[in-house]
Amino acid sequence: IKRRFFVFLIMQHITGISRQQLRFSSLEDTISPDNQVRFIDAFVEYIDLSKLDFAVKTLKTEGRPSFNSKVFLKIYLYGYLNGVRSGRDLEKECLRNIEMQWLLEAIVPNYHSISDFRKNNPIALKKLFKLYVLFLKDADLIGCETIAIDGTKSRAHNSKKANFNQKKIDKHVDYIELKSQEYLDALEENDAKDNPAIIQNIQQKLDRLKGNKLRYEQLEEKLKASGEPQISTTDSDARALLVQGQVVEISFNLQAAVDAKHNLVVATHTINKNDRSALSAIALEAKENLGIETYTALVDKGYHNGKQIEICKQANITTIVAQPEQGKSNENGTTKAYLVAQFQYDQDTDTYTCPQGETLKTTGSWHKKTTDRDSYNFKKYRTPKCKECPVKNLCTSRAAGREIDRSQYANAVEENNKRYHANAQLYRKRQEINEHIFGTIKRQWGYNHTNLTGLEKVNGEHSLIMLVYNIKRSINILGVTELIAKLQKWNSPYKAKVLFLLKMRCLKLFLASLLFITNQRTSKISLA
């Protein structure tokens, strides 16, 4: 009775298959037709890696055979799609993950070879991203009309302690000199008291301070030689950048241009400076990647720069860059009613009219202004009526009267500002288009930092991240089956030769059948 009751209890739960049960199945049976690994396999097999400048391994007549470069590309595409990017973790996935076994046909490279592929192919990874953008365009997933541009900071493989500017170096040197003097005084005092043990300890501390001072002096020389305001010791390309408010991180600035139709990334690159001078480079890259004549770029106020807006204008790119807030009024200077925006400029006469109706003229001479961030030419506009103006104290505190500087880029800036105020509804879409991309990459996937050093290598990894984002999103839009169908119909100059692919498949089938026949013969011999 007890045994029957025990069996009854067991039957109340779902039971599994015995571990000793033999099964006849292939890797193909384990992967569903709509699994994303099928698209990864189709995409990598479709392209000719040598045309994208990947470091392709050549076949050798002697020695151990090498891994096909496509194996490593498949590993990284699958890994980044699933939040795995460490070389050691990817090696583990090759061993235990059925999807990875299907994708690689049970090949398991070592972690060092996996890591080297990403490190050695940064330029090729960027070209691969651009190639996929072309595919998305030909698949009619990109509108090519409205593109939102923005950037986000990615933490560098460099701590704050390993980043220095002249002020920080001077602070360390001053501290060393102060402590050195304290130790010298203590050394003199203990020398008089004849304390050899204490003297030896103080001398060791002095020697250590001398070594530290020498290191900071060498850093100062490198800083001056570089011509940069700061220097990083772990990653020489990393910079201290403003992340939010007053928060500063040693990081890189990941730029992205996102098409409005399906929120797909059409251009990306990484820089080590802030956004102020970054607009034209990413805007022109988007135009080049898509091969279009013009488009409308939606950009936030951090990119508002006259020179950058002018470059976009010359390239036939319509910019809608948010206008920064105007300067605040003050008791001893310009009040709100007399800010530059209240002065009307006349293009035909090249003059300004002030709120009091007076005309400010220019001599036509160009002056040059150079700052730490920018350099530009400008003209000055004045009027002698300022000296007898009854409201001069509301307009300016200058004894000679009000003076207006007009930059060489003023026309382009004014046109942009008019578009910004006239297209408020369109500009509001900017955040909807590109902000969630950075949220997905950094918050959901955890790609808020880079483990690589050097701007070129970091560019390669970030291009890979954006490529994977596009793959993920295009799969969500069309599905794996339809996306593969579009890929097979796509005619690209980077397409791998069909004859070569057929030969490789035939070779694989031949080797598989040969292995099967060999195993059959071996089993018959053992039974005999």
Side-chain angles (χ1 to χ4, degrees):
I1 295 172
K2 289 183 178 179
R3 184 176 294 176
R4 289 178 181 176
F5 181 70
F6 179 70
V7 171
F8 174 76
L9 286 176
I10 292 176
M11 295 303 292
Q12 297 303 305
H13 302 286
I14 297 173
T15 57
I17 300 173
S18 172
R19 295 187 180 97
Q20 282 72 40
Q21 174 71 46
L22 292 177
R23 291 189 297 170
F24 291 94
S25 64
S26 64
L27 287 172
E28 181 67 22
D29 297 332
T30 62
I31 305 300
S32 62
D34 60 345
N35 194 308
Q36 64 184 8
V37 295
R38 291 191 179 274
F39 179 74
I40 295 173
D41 182 67
F43 177 60
V44 176
E45 292 297 338
Y46 176 88
I47 57 180
D48 187 344
L49 295 189
S50 61
K51 292 181 180 179
L52 292 172
D53 297 329
F54 277 95
V56 178
K57 300 291 184 180
T58 56
L59 297 174
K60 298 179 181 179
T61 55
E62 297 179 353
R64 185 176 182 270
S66 59
F67 292 108
N68 191 326
S69 298
K70 290 189 174 184
V71 169
F72 298 110
L73 182 55
K74 289 178 182 179
I75 289 172
Y76 271 111
L77 289 177
Y78 180 86
Y80 274 73
L81 267 171
N82 292 276
V84 184
R85 57 175 176 167
S86 161
R88 293 178 187 272
D89 290 341
L90 287 170
E91 182 184 359
K92 291 176 184 176
E93 292 301 311
C94 293
L95 284 166
R96 67 188 179 190
N97 191 314
I98 293 176
E99 291 180 339
M100 191 75 97
Q101 289 173 13
W102 179 91
L103 185 62
L104 307 180
E105 297 177 319
I107 294 174
V108 184
N110 63 75
Y111 74 90
H112 203 283
S113 298
I114 295 172
S115 298
D116 285 345
F117 177 81
R118 180 182 57 183
K119 186 171 61 177
N120 296 335
N121 292 284
I123 297 174
L125 288 170
K126 189 167 181 62
K127 289 182 178 180
L128 185 64
F129 165 80
K130 292 182 179 180
L131 177 65
Y132 196 74
V133 170
L134 286 176
F135 167 65
L136 293 174
K137 181 189 175 187
D138 292 343
D140 198 28
L141 293 176
I142 294 177
C144 301
E145 294 180 358
T146 304
I147 294 174
I149 293 173
D150 204 354
T152 188
K153 306 303 187 298
S154 176
R155 291 203 314 274
H157 191 57
N158 194 103
S159 69
K160 287 184 180 180
K161 291 182 179 179
N163 176 266
F164 300 90
N165 55 24
Q166 189 61 53
K167 183 178 179 181
K168 190 173 180 180
I169 292 172
D170 291 341
K171 183 179 178 181
H172 282 289
V173 171
D174 291 343
Y175 175 79
I176 289 171
E177 289 178 351
L178 179 65
K179 293 299 291 184
S180 296
Q181 188 59 49
E182 290 179 6
Y183 287 139
L184 287 171
D185 294 341
L187 191 65
E188 185 178 352
E189 181 182 346
N190 284 278
D191 189 40
K193 295 180 180 179
D194 194 20
N195 292 326
I198 297 176
I199 290 172
Q200 184 180 2
N201 185 32
I202 294 173
Q203 190 62 53
Q204 289 175 351
K205 291 179 179 179
L206 279 169
D207 292 340
R208 186 172 68 252
L209 287 175
K210 286 180 182 178
N212 290 342
K213 186 178 181 181
L214 179 62
R215 185 168 67 89
Y216 287 121
E217 288 174 349
Q218 291 172 343
L219 274 174
E220 186 175 16
E221 290 176 4
K222 288 182 180 179
L223 181 63
K224 290 179 179 178
S226 68
E228 295 283 338
Q230 55 179 290
I231 187 172
S232 297
T233 55
T234 307
D235 184 352
S236 59
D237 290 333
R239 295 289 181 269
L241 300 177
L242 194 65
V243 176
Q244 187 177 13
Q246 299 299 317
V247 180
V248 174
E249 291 285 353
I250 312 303
S251 53
F252 292 97
N253 191 353
L254 171 59
Q255 300 289 300
V258 186
D259 185 77
K261 185 174 183 179
H262 286 297
N263 296 353
L264 290 161
V265 185
V266 295
T268 184
H269 64 250
T270 303
I271 57 178
N272 57 359
K273 55 186 178 181
N274 285 312
D275 295 333
R276 181 171 169 76
S277 301
L279 174 58
S280 63
I282 188 67
L284 291 172
E285 184 181 328
K287 183 182 177 184
E288 179 187 349
N289 288 356
L290 295 173
I292 54 179
E293 292 297 322
T294 185
Y295 68 88
T296 300
L298 307 179
V299 198
D300 72 15
K301 63 183 179 182
Y303 291 84
H304 197 283
N305 179 300
K307 183 177 181 180
Q308 298 294 308
I309 294 172
E310 175 67 28
I311 293 172
C312 291
K313 179 184 176 182
Q314 295 301 322
N316 201 25
I317 298 171
T318 305
T319 58
I320 302 181
V321 186
Q323 185 179 2
E325 295 179 6
Q326 295 179 340
K328 296 180 180 179
S329 304
N330 59 77
E331 294 179 0
N332 301 318
T334 305
T335 58
K336 188 175 182 180
Y338 291 90
L339 292 172
V340 175
Q342 306 303 324
F343 287 67
Q344 299 299 318
Y345 178 72
D346 189 314
Q347 185 78 37
D348 296 330
T349 60
D350 192 19
T351 59
Y352 277 96
T353 302
C354 76
Q356 291 296 310
E358 300 296 339
T359 303
L360 285 76
K361 299 180 180 179
T362 177
T363 61
S365 300
W366 287 96
H367 307 271
K368 188 171 184 178
K369 185 172 183 179
T370 302
T371 64
D372 294 337
R373 300 189 304 175
D374 218 341
S375 177
Y376 60 91
N377 297 325
F378 66 94
K379 290 191 290 187
K380 293 179 179 292
Y381 295 79
R382 309 183 187 92
T383 177
K385 298 288 186 178
C386 271
K387 295 180 180 179
E388 54 193 53
C389 181
V391 292
K392 178 186 173 185
N393 63 313
L394 301 176
C395 185
T396 181
S397 59
R398 292 180 74 250
R402 183 65 179 269
E403 184 176 88
I404 293 179
D405 297 343
R406 183 174 178 82
S407 162
Q408 66 186 102
Y409 309 119
N411 288 339
V413 170
E414 289 171 356
E415 290 172 9
N416 171 82
N417 294 346
K418 286 179 182 178
R419 285 194 297 269
Y420 169 66
H421 292 293
N423 295 277
Q425 196 68 28
L426 176 61
Y427 180 78
R428 286 193 191 97
K429 293 183 178 180
R430 184 194 66 82
Q431 286 185 318
E432 300 174 12
I433 296 169
N434 61 8
E435 290 290 350
H436 80 281
I437 291 176
F438 297 134
T440 300
I441 290 169
K442 297 177 74 173
R443 296 292 181 89
Q444 187 174 343
W445 293 357
Y447 298 153
N448 54 10
H449 66 281
T450 175
N451 290 331
L452 301 179
T453 58
L455 188 57
E456 185 178 76
K457 294 175 185 176
V458 172
N459 254 296
E461 184 183 18
H462 286 161
S463 295
L464 178 60
I465 291 172
M466 290 302 185
L467 167 62
V468 164
Y469 176 85
N470 279 349
I471 290 174
K472 186 83 170 179
R473 187 153 185 83
S474 55
I475 288 174
N476 291 340
I477 295 167
L478 294 179
V480 171
T481 306
E482 187 176 347
L483 201 60
I484 291 176
K486 286 184 176 291
L487 180 67
Q488 290 172 345
K489 294 177 183 178
W490 186 43
N491 187 19
S492 168
Y494 297 96
K495 186 176 181 180
K497 294 180 180 179
V498 178
L499 183 60
F500 176 75
L501 290 176
L502 288 173
K503 284 181 178 179
M504 290 301 295
R505 287 174 184 173
C506 291
L507 180 61
K508 287 178 181 178
L509 288 171
F510 172 74
L511 291 174
S513 61
L514 184 64
L515 182 62
F516 176 76
I517 293 169
T518 305
N519 290 337
Q520 287 290 97
R521 289 177 178 175
T522 304
S523 61
K524 287 179 180 180
I525 292 169
S526 61
L527 287 171

